[in-house]
Amino acid sequence: MRSKSYNWKQVVSYSIIALHNLLNSANDVSIKNMKMFIEPLQELHTKEEAVEYAEKLLNKD
């Protein structure tokens, strides 16, 4: 079973992914929409995958 504890790098990584997804969607950028984009991420990406993907997104820009 996956631990639900996150280190700061993982928290930042999930936030980067959520913001990227929100900015590339048709939704308005708002706190409610940001929450909507963050919540499913723990089921879509493992902690390690999130860190790697966020690094790819940051290096892409």
Side-chain angles (χ1 to χ4, degrees):
M1 185 171 171
R2 231 174 14 182
S3 172
K4 295 291 183 179
S5 297
Y6 298 90
N7 65 39
W8 187 247
K9 188 172 186 175
Q10 293 162 342
V11 171
V12 170
S13 295
Y14 280 111
S15 299
I16 289 168
I17 295 167
L19 181 58
H20 172 266
N21 292 344
L22 177 57
L23 292 173
N24 289 292
S25 74
N27 293 300
D28 292 329
V29 176
S30 70
I31 300 230
K32 284 184 181 181
N33 285 338
M34 183 70 177
K35 183 179 179 193
M36 178 179 69
F37 277 80
I38 288 175
E39 288 180 344
L41 290 179
Q42 71 177 351
E43 301 300 323
L44 296 173
H45 302 284
T46 65
K47 296 174 189 179
E48 295 79 19
E49 290 171 341
V51 171
E52 290 174 14
Y53 185 43
E55 287 174 2
K56 286 180 185 177
L57 291 173
L58 290 171
N59 291 330
K60 185 177 177 182
D61 289 338

